Amino acid sequence: QVQLVESGGGLVDTGGSLRLSCVASGRSFGNSAMGWFRQAPGKEREFVAAMASIGRSTSYADSVKGRFTISRDNAKNTLYLQMNSLRPEDTAVYYCAARKFSFNSRIISEYAYWGQGTQVTVSS
């Protein structure tokens, strides 16, 4: 079993920045691909970014490419999402997720473990 706890969400103005963190416990974090997803009110959960455990390859949704950066610190069992140039359409609950495998994925159903989410609100 894996427990994931997100933090770092909040209210920010358009153009501002936030850094989300996700602390993992209960399983070998270093062997798991990790991802960030988000869900806005009335919309389905969508992929944001992912990072593999081997080779640290990354993948981003087109809507955040160039503005968001995913990273991980295996020594601290922590996943990060640096979000810059935030827009009102980035407003959502952001979820951290972990796979049972090392290669990243954009597919929600391929993630076995999920955090409780952290709210990000970008004011216009």
Side-chain angles (χ1 to χ4, degrees), residues 1 14 18 25 42 54 65 80 110-111 113 116 118 121:
Q1 192 71 9
T14 296
L18 283 174
S25 61
I54 298 176
K65 198 172 295 183
Y80 302 99
E110 294 188 355
Y111 286 80
Y113 307 103
Q116 83 290 347
T118 185
T121 303

Side-chain angles (χ1 to χ4, degrees), residues 21-58:
S21 299
C22 171
V23 179
S25 61
R27 188 176 185 267
S28 179
F29 175 79
N31 294 330
S32 299
M34 302 292 296
W36 287 100
F37 294 79
R38 67 186 182 187
Q39 187 166 16
K43 295 188 177 181
E44 294 187 351
R45 192 170 299 189
E46 65 176 7
F47 168 77
V48 175
M51 175 175 269
S53 62
I54 298 176
R56 304 287 185 96
S57 68
T58 57

Side-chain angles (χ1 to χ4, degrees), residues 50-73:
M51 175 175 269
S53 62
I54 298 176
R56 304 287 185 96
S57 68
T58 57
S59 180
Y60 294 93
D62 288 345
S63 59
V64 306
K65 198 172 295 183
R67 300 188 298 123
F68 291 11
T69 302
I70 188 172
S71 62
R72 60 193 295 165
D73 184 338

Side-chain angles (χ1 to χ4, degrees), residues 59-121:
S59 180
Y60 294 93
D62 288 345
S63 59
V64 306
K65 198 172 295 183
R67 300 188 298 123
F68 291 11
T69 302
I70 188 172
S71 62
R72 60 193 295 165
D73 184 338
N74 288 347
K76 296 182 178 180
N77 281 5
T78 303
L79 179 74
Y80 302 99
L81 185 68
Q82 178 66 44
M83 305 186 295
N84 299 328
S85 302
L86 283 162
R87 306 166 180 169
E89 53 264 39
D90 294 318
T91 295
V93 176
Y94 283 71
Y95 297 90
C96 168
R99 296 197 70 204
K100 292 183 179 180
F101 307 101
S102 59
F103 297 99
N104 67 36
S105 170
R106 294 170 170 249
I107 302 173
I108 292 174
S109 61
E110 294 188 355
Y111 286 80
Y113 307 103
W114 292 83
Q116 83 290 347
T118 185
Q119 176 70 48
V120 171
T121 303

